C-alpha cells in the first residue's frame, strides 16, 4: 500500500468517525408534542390534556419503574445491558430472515435501535434498519442504559392514541406506572411489540398468551417468585381505556400546555372542597343559581391549595366551562375591608371614627344602604361589619378614589385597568370588577402582611403579587380583622344553613342586581374565597353573598385542618399614654408612646376620633401612628355629644338615648339634607314633559320649629315638624334659603341642569 493510499484510508476513516460522531441529533424528540399533565403537591395526578397531535403522551420520564424495566428488557432485548447499541447476532439473523422472505418481517432491533426508530419515524426497510443500528451505537455513547430505557418507555406506542408508559398505565390501569403489578407491567411490556394488532380491546387471547409467556420467562430468570407469578397469571387484561382523573379541571386548563406542572393543590383537600362546593351548587341550581367557584390559599406559603373554577362540571348548563374563579365580576362590597384598612393605615380615620350615614348626592351618585335605611352616623368598624354602603362612600371620598384604585392594583387586582375617574366613588360598591382568585389572594395578603410573611409567593401563573407590593400596617390590619370577625351582623345570613361556625374574619359582597354573591374568610392559616351566581350573568332575586356564598365558605373552613390559633394582638411598646387632646404635634405631647407603627392616643368614645378638650370621657386606644394626624372630635359642644342637624335627623330614631346639646345659637340648628351644596340637579319630567320638581329636605334640631322657605329671595312656602318642600326651579343656578321663627337661617346653592 502506498503512502498516499494509506493517507486516504486514514482520512476516510477519520471522516467516517466524524460523521458517526455528529450523526445523532442533539435532541431526539425535539418536536414531539406532549400532553399537559398536572400533579398535586403530593405528586398525585390531578388531570391531563391530550397533546397537540391528539396523542396521550405524558412528558418524558427520567427513570423506569423496576418491574416494567425487567419485563421489557426480558421481552424486547434481553442483552440490553451488555450490547453497545446493536446486537450483531440477532441483527444478522433478522437480516437473513428479511432477505429470505423479501420484506421486513422480524425485529432484531435492540431497545436502543427502537428508540432511534421512534425518534425518526421512517419506513421500516433494511436500509433504515442499518442507519438505526449506526445511530444506536452513537446513542450508547451519549446516554446511559437507564436513560435509553426511559426514552423508550416515554415514546413507545401502546395502542390507539396512547404513547408512553405513564399515559398507558393511567389509560389501561388507572394508576401511575410506579404502582403497576407484575401482571400489568408484563402486559405493558408486550403491548408496543405490535400495538396496532395488539390493542387490548382486540386479540385478547394472543395478548394474554404473550403476557403469560413473558411472566414465565421472568419466573425462570428469577425476577419474580412462584407466588407472584401465580398471582400475576390470574390478573385479568385491561378493558377499554379509562378516563384520566379530573380534579380541578379549570385549574388544569390554566396550566402551561404540553408540560407537566407540579402544582400547590392539595389532593385530598381539593377533592373534599370539590365535593362540598358541588353539593351546595347542585342545591342552589334549583333556585336558578347555576355556577359557583372557590379558591383556598395557604397563608403561610401564599400558595393556592384548592381551586374550583366552576362547580359540578358534569351538570350540563351554558356556563359550565367558564372558569369563574379567574373571570372578572362585579365586586359588590367585597373590597370594603381594603378601604377600611388603608384609611386606618394612612390616618384618614381611627378604628371607631363616626362616619356619616345620611342621604347624599355626589355628582349624580346617590348611594343607598342594602336595607334602604339611613342611620345618621355609624362607627367605621361597625359600618364595615354591617357592610353599610353610605358610610363607605363617605370614607372613600375622604380617602380618595385614585389612591384607593392604585392600592387595589398594588394588591394584585388586574381587572381595574380603566382610569380611577371611570369608576368614581362606585368603586367601593361594585363599580369595578374583580376576579375571585385575585381577590382571595389580596385578602391572603392582609393575613400575610399581619404575620410578617411579606416575601411574596409564586402563584399559579408565576406572578409575585403578594405582600411586597403593599406594606400593611399591623394595627390597621388588627382592627380590620376584629371588625370582620363580628358574625352577628344583620346582613341577611341564615345561620341555620351553617353546620358549625369556626372563628374567621370574613366579608360578604353582593353586586348590583343580585348577579354576584361573594364571601371571603380569613384565619391565620387559610384564606377562602367563594363566588356564586350565573356565569352567563343573569341576576337571581335573593342571591346575596351572605346567603349564597357564606355557608359554602364555612363548609370549606370546616374541611381545613384547625390550628386553633387566632391573630395575635399587636404588641404595644410601653404603656398607654395620657389623655391626648386633638393636638397635631405628636412630639410635643408628654406621656405619649410612639412606636414604629402604632401608638396609644386618647380617643373620644362617642365619635371614635381624637379626643378634644370638650370630650368628657376620653379613653386610651391603640391606633396606627398615622392616626395622630387625623381630625379631632367635632361633635362635643360643652361636653354634650351633638351631631350635625342632618345626621341627628336620621340618628335619633335608632338611638332614643340621644339628646344632643340644648338648642343654642352656638350650634348649627338647621342643615339641608337635600340637595347638598354645589350639586347639579336633574329634575324628573312626567310623561307629558312637565317638570315634576324635586323634594327639598331640611333637618331642624327643634322638633316643632316652623321654617319659611325662599327660592332666590322669593318666599315659596313654610313647613313644620317635617321640613320637605317640592320645588321646580328653572334650569340655571339658584339659592334656597330657609329661615326659622327665631330668625336663624341656612342657604344652599345648586344648579338645575337642562
Ligand atoms: Zn368627642
Amino acid at each position: 500500500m502506498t503512502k498516499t493510499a494509506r493517507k486516504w484510508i486514514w482520512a476516510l476513516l477519520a471522516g467516517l468517525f466524524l460523521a458517526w460522531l455528529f450523526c445523532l441529533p442533539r435532541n431526539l424528540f425535539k418536536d414531539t408534542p406532549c400532553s399537559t399533565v398536572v400533579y398535586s403537591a403530593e405528586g398525585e395526578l390531578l388531570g391531563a390534556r391530550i397533546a397537540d397531535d391528539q396523542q396521550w403522551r405524558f412528558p418524558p420520564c427520567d427513570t423506569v419503574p423496576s418491574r416494567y424495566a425487567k419485563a421489557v428488557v426480558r421481552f424486547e432485548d434481553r442483552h440490553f445491558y451488555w450490547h453497545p447499541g446493536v446486537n450483531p447476532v440477532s441483527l444478522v439473523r433478522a437480516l437473513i430472515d428479511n432477505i429470505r422472505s423479501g420484506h421486513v418481517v422480524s425485529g432484531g432491533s435492540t431497545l436502543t435501535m427502537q428508540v432511534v426508530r421512534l425518534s425518526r419515524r421512517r419506513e421500516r426497510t433494511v436500509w433504515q434498519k442499518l442507519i438505526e443500528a449506526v445511530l444506536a451505537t452513537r446513542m450508547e455513547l451519549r446516554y446511559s442504559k437507564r436513560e435509553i430505557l426511559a426514552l423508550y418507555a416515554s415514546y413507545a406506542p401502546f395502542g390507539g392514541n396512547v404513547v408512553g408508559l405513564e399515559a398507558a398505565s393511567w389509560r389501561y390501569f388507572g394508576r401511575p406506572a410506579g404502582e403497576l403489578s407484575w401482571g400489568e407491567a408484563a402486559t405493558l411490556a408486550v403491548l408496543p411489540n405490535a400495538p396496532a394488532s395488539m390493542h387490548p380491546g382486540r386479540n385478547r387471547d394472543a395478548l394474554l398468551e404473550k403476557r403469560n409467556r413473558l411472566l414465565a420467562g421472568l419466573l425462570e430468570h428469577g425476577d419474580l417468585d412462584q407466588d407472584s407469578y401465580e398471582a400475576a397469571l390470574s390478573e385479568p387484561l385491561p378493558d377499554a381505556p379509562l378516563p384520566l382523573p379530573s380534579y380541578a379541571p379549570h385549574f388544569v386548563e390554566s396550566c402551561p400546555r404540553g408540560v407537566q406542572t407540579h402544582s400547590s393543590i392539595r389532593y385530598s383537600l381539593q377533592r373534599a372542597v370539590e365535593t362540598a362546593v358541588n353539593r351546595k351548587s347542585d342545591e342552589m341550581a334549583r333556585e336558578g343559581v347555576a355556577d359557583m367557584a372557590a379558591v383556598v390559599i395557604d397563608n403561610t406559603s401564599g400558595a393556592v391549595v384548592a381551586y374550583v373554577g366552576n362547580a359540578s362540571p358534569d351538570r350540563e348548563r351554558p356556563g359550565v366551562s367558564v372558569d369563574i374563579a379567574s373571570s372578572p365580576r362585579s365586586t359588590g362590597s367585597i373590597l370594603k375591608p381594603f378601604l377600611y384598612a388603608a384609611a386606618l393605615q394612612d390616618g384618614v380615620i381611627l378604628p371607631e371614627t363616626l362616619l356619616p350615614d345620611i342621604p347624599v348626592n355626589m355628582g349624580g351618585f346617590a348611594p343607598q344602604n342594602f336595607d334602604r335605611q339611613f342611620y345618621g352616623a355609624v362607627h367605621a368598624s361597625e359600618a364595615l361589619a354591617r357592610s353599610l354602603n353610605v358610610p363607605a362612600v363617605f370614607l372613600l371620598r375622604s380617602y380618595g378614589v385614585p389612591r384607593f384604585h392604585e392600592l387595589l392594583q398594588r394588591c394584585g387586582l388586574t381587572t381595574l385597568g380603566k382610569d380611577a375617574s371611570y369608576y368614581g366613588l362606585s368603586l367601593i360598591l361594585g363599580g369595578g370588577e374583580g376576579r375571585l382568585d385575585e381577590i382571595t389572594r389580596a385578602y391572603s395578603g392582609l393575613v400575610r402582611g399581619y404575620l410578617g410573611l411579606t416575601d411574596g409567593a409564586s402563584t399559579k401563573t408565576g406572578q409575585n403579587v403578594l405582600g411586597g407590593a403593599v406594606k400593611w400596617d399591623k394595627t390597621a390590619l388588627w382592627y380590620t380583622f376584629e371588625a370582620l370577625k363580628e358574625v352577628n351582623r344583620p346582613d341577611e345570613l341564615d345561620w341555620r344553613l351553617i353546620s358549625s361556625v369556626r372563628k374567621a374574619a370574613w366579608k360578604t359582597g353582593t353586586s348590583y342586581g343580585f348577579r354576584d354573591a361573594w364571601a371571603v374568610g380569613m384565619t391565620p392559616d387559610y384564606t377562602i374565597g367563594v363566588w356564586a351566581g350565573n356565569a352567563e350573568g343573569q341576576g337571581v332575586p335573593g342571591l346575596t353573598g351572605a346567603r349564597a356564598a357564606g355557608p359554602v365558605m364555612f363548609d370549606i373552613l370546616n374541611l381545613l385542618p384547625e390550628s386553633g390559633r387566632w391573630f395575635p394582638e399587636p404588641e404595644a411598646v410601653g404603656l398607654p399614654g395620657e389623655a391626648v387632646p386633638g393636638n397635631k404635634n405628636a412630639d410635643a405631647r408628654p406621656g405619649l408612646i410612639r412606636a414604629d407603627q402604632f401608638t396609644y392616643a386618647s380617643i373620644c368614645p362617642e365619635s371614635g376620633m381624637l379626643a378634644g378638650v370638650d370630650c368628657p370621657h376620653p379613653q386610651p386606644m391603640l391606633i396606627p401612628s398615622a392616626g395622630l394626624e387625623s381630625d379631632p372630635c367635632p361633635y362635643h359642644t360643652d361636653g354634650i355629644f351633638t351631631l350635625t342637624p342632618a345626621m341627628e335627623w336620621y340618628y335619633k330614631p335608632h338611638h332614643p338615648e340621644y339628646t344632643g346639646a340644648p338648642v343654642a345659637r352656638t350650634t348649627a340648628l338647621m342643615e339641608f339634607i337635600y340637595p347638598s351644596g354645589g350639586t347639579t340637579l336633574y329634575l324628573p319630567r312626567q310623561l307629558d314633559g312637565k317638570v315634576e320638581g324635586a323634594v327639598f329636605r331640611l333637618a331642624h334640631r327643634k322638633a316643632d320649629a316652623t321654617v319659611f322657605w325662599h327660592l332666590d329671595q322669593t318666599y315659596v312656602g313654610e313647613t313644620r315638624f317635617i321640613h320637605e318642600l317640592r320645588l321646580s326651579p328653572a334650569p340655571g343656578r339658584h339659592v334656597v334659603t330657609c329661615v326659622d321663627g327665631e330668625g336663624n337661617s341656612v342657604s344652599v346653592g345648586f344648579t338645575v341642569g337642562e
Side-chain angles (χ1 to χ4, degrees):
M1 206 184 279
T2 67
K3 222 176 175 182
T4 318
R6 215 179 298 155
K7 225 192 230 166
W8 275 109
I9 287 169
W10 276 115
L12 187 67
L13 285 175
L16 281 172
F17 176 71
L18 278 175
W20 176 78
L21 210 55
F22 293 104
C23 67
L24 195 66
R26 176 156 292 280
N27 190 342
L28 285 173
F29 296 91
K30 198 177 77 175
D31 296 322
T32 310
C34 288
S35 293
T36 305
V37 179
V38 181
Y39 295 100
S40 74
E42 304 85 352
E44 302 283 349
L45 183 63
L46 290 173
R49 298 286 178 271
I50 203 158
D52 290 343
D53 59 353
Q54 301 305 305
Q55 303 290 304
W56 285 106
R57 184 191 298 106
F58 279 31
C61 58
D62 297 333
T63 50
V64 176
S66 77
R67 282 178 184 169
Y68 174 79
K70 283 175 179 160
V72 76
V73 166
R74 176 123 307 265
F75 183 76
E76 291 280 353
D77 184 4
R78 65 187 62 178
H79 302 294
F80 174 68
Y81 292 105
W82 306 103
H83 62 62
V86 292
N87 184 341
V89 180
S90 54
L91 195 59
V92 167
R93 194 166 51 217
L95 278 176
I96 293 168
D97 286 352
N98 288 341
I99 290 160
R100 269 190 198 145
S101 66
H103 59 276
V104 184
V105 289
S106 72
S109 290
T110 61
L111 282 169
T112 320
M113 286 169 67
Q114 293 194 46
V115 171
V116 174
R117 197 182 73 232
L118 289 168
S119 76
R120 297 174 77 239
R121 295 189 230 168
R122 301 288 164 85
E123 268 182 73
R124 301 178 78 174
T125 63
V126 173
W127 172 244
Q128 286 298 334
K129 185 158 273 193
L130 281 172
I131 294 176
E132 283 162 17
V134 173
L135 290 171
T137 57
R138 178 64 185 84
M139 200 175 154
E140 292 274 344
L141 195 70
R142 188 190 295 169
Y143 298 101
S144 68
K145 291 286 184 186
R146 180 183 61 81
E147 289 168 331
I148 293 169
L149 197 58
L151 281 171
Y152 174 80
S154 298
Y155 294 101
F158 283 85
N161 62 350
V162 181
V163 179
L165 174 67
E166 196 64 34
S169 279
W170 279 106
R171 293 288 278 160
Y172 295 130
F173 300 109
R175 65 180 68 113
E179 293 173 16
L180 291 177
S181 68
W182 273 111
E184 292 163 350
T187 307
L188 293 183
V190 304
L191 209 47
N193 188 245
S197 62
M198 294 296 284
H199 189 279
R202 302 187 288 263
N203 302 322
R204 295 172 66 85
D205 291 345
L207 179 63
L208 192 66
E209 197 241 298
K210 258 189 178 177
R211 181 199 77 172
N212 291 351
R213 206 172 342 122
L214 172 58
L215 286 169
L218 288 164
L219 172 72
E220 196 181 317
H221 194 252
D223 285 325
L224 77 171
D225 58 32
Q226 188 69 33
D227 287 352
S228 312
Y229 170 69
E230 277 162 23
L233 278 187
S234 68
E235 286 180 35
L237 286 181
D239 294 318
L242 304 165
L244 290 170
S246 180
Y247 300 109
H250 298 94
F251 177 82
V252 169
E253 203 62 49
S254 73
C255 286
R257 309 290 299 177
V259 293
Q260 53 188 356
T261 299
H262 292 274
S263 73
S264 52
I265 299 288
R266 286 188 204 150
Y267 188 67
S268 318
L269 179 67
Q270 173 69 29
R271 294 177 60 171
V273 169
E274 281 184 21
T275 306
V277 173
N278 293 352
R279 187 178 52 223
K280 204 65 111 192
S281 178
D282 291 345
E283 270 173 41
M284 293 189 48
R286 283 177 237 131
E287 296 164 33
V289 182
D291 303 295
M292 188 178 278
V295 174
V296 181
I297 292 176
D298 179 336
N299 292 330
T300 308
S301 65
V304 174
V305 291
Y307 186 100
V308 181
N310 199 345
S312 301
D314 299 330
R315 174 158 44 80
E316 280 190 30
R317 71 239 195 222
V320 64
S321 61
V322 179
D323 179 357
I324 310 205
S326 65
S327 302
R329 308 290 308 205
S330 169
T331 51
S333 295
I334 205 68
L335 302 177
K336 282 178 185 165
F338 297 94
L339 177 61
Y340 178 76
L344 266 183
Q345 165 152 339
D346 294 344
V348 175
I349 52 164
L350 299 182
E352 306 288 339
T353 292
L354 216 47
L355 295 172
D357 188 3
I358 54 176
V360 64
N361 190 318
M362 300 180 189
F365 179 55
Q368 292 265 339
N369 289 324
F370 191 84
D371 60 7
R372 307 208 162 256
Q373 291 208 54
F374 294 97
Y375 295 89
V378 183
H379 292 290
S381 62
E382 189 195 343
L384 174 63
R386 291 170 57 191
S387 201
L388 295 174
N389 291 337
V390 179
V393 169
F394 275 101
L395 182 55
L396 179 56
R397 188 170 69 171
S398 303
Y399 186 77
V401 177
R403 197 167 159 203
F404 185 55
H405 178 246
E406 196 241 321
L407 174 98
L408 292 174
Q409 289 184 317
R410 280 194 291 128
C411 285
L413 269 57
T414 62
T415 45
L416 300 168
K418 297 209 171 65
D419 194 73
S421 60
Y422 170 84
Y423 306 103
L425 291 165
S426 76
L427 183 58
I428 197 61
L429 302 183
E433 293 186 324
R435 293 165 40 160
L436 178 68
D437 56 349
E438 292 179 351
I439 287 172
T440 310
R441 196 175 290 286
Y443 270 84
S444 176
L446 299 181
V447 179
R448 288 169 61 77
Y450 193 72
L451 300 177
L453 304 164
T454 51
D455 53 353
S458 60
T459 70
K460 68 167 183 170
T461 48
Q463 298 165 310
N464 273 359
V465 291
L466 274 186
V470 180
K471 191 171 177 350
W472 286 107
D473 178 294
K474 292 189 180 186
T475 315
L477 292 176
W478 164 255
Y479 283 109
T480 308
F481 298 147
E482 284 294 294
L484 295 177
K485 83 168 192 231
E486 295 300 328
V487 287
N488 186 17
R489 55 187 80 170
D491 77 339
E492 84 275 357
L493 177 64
D494 186 351
W495 286 97
R496 289 165 301 179
L497 295 175
I498 295 170
S499 45
S500 85
V501 177
R502 279 206 209 156
K503 198 173 180 184
W506 66 294
K507 183 75 192 79
T508 59
T510 307
S511 73
Y512 180 76
F514 301 105
R515 290 188 179 89
D516 305 87
W518 304 81
V520 182
M522 299 170 281
T523 72
D525 303 301
Y526 294 97
T527 303
I528 305 155
V530 173
W531 178 95
N534 285 304
E536 306 271 281
Q538 64 273 36
V540 180
L543 175 75
T544 64
R547 244 181 231 287
V552 190
M553 194 275 289
F554 278 103
D555 282 354
I556 295 172
L557 183 61
N558 285 334
L559 295 170
L560 294 165
E562 188 174 23
S563 69
R565 67 177 178 145
W566 188 243
F567 298 103
E569 276 189 58
E571 229 175 301
V573 180
L575 297 164
E578 290 168 8
V580 183
N583 184 338
K584 296 282 184 186
N585 186 352
D587 293 330
R589 277 173 251 167
L592 183 80
I593 289 103
R594 189 167 211 173
D596 267 2
Q597 297 175 324
F598 39 76
T599 185
Y600 277 96
S602 180
I603 304 299
C604 169
E606 275 97 353
S607 69
M609 303 169 83
L610 292 176
V613 282
D614 280 341
C615 300
H617 310 291
Q619 299 288 323
M621 187 184 201
L622 191 68
I623 61 166
S625 306
L628 292 173
E629 311 299 325
S630 64
D631 293 332
C633 171
Y635 299 114
H636 274 100
T637 307
D638 298 334
I640 298 170
F641 179 53
T642 311
L643 294 165
T644 70
M647 285 163 106
E648 185 180 281
W649 174 261
Y650 290 99
Y651 187 83
K652 258 182 168 169
H654 301 282
H655 298 269
E657 76 287 357
Y658 175 88
T659 57
V663 174
R665 299 188 74 90
T666 48
T667 60
L669 281 174
M670 288 181 281
E671 187 181 9
F672 275 99
I673 297 168
Y674 186 87
S676 20
T679 53
T680 300
L681 316 182
Y682 294 93
L683 304 183
R685 284 172 189 276
Q686 291 170 336
L687 284 176
D688 59 7
K690 208 175 144 206
V691 174
E692 256 186 42
V695 177
F696 285 57
R697 310 172 83 187
L698 178 89
H700 197 294
R701 260 190 227 292
K702 269 177 148 176
D704 60 349
T706 302
V707 170
F708 305 93
W709 295 67
H710 303 80
L711 173 60
D712 302 324
Q713 322 276 318
T714 308
Y715 172 79
V716 285
E718 68 174 77
T719 53
R720 198 162 180 215
F721 302 116
I722 294 172
H723 307 289
E724 293 182 355
L725 197 66
R726 185 180 292 276
L727 296 172
S728 308
R733 299 177 72 164
H734 300 278
V735 175
V736 165
T737 304
C738 288
V739 184
D740 69 7
E742 290 162 28
N744 304 297
S745 75
V746 63
S747 296
V748 63
F750 59 93
T751 305
V752 174
E754 293 280 355

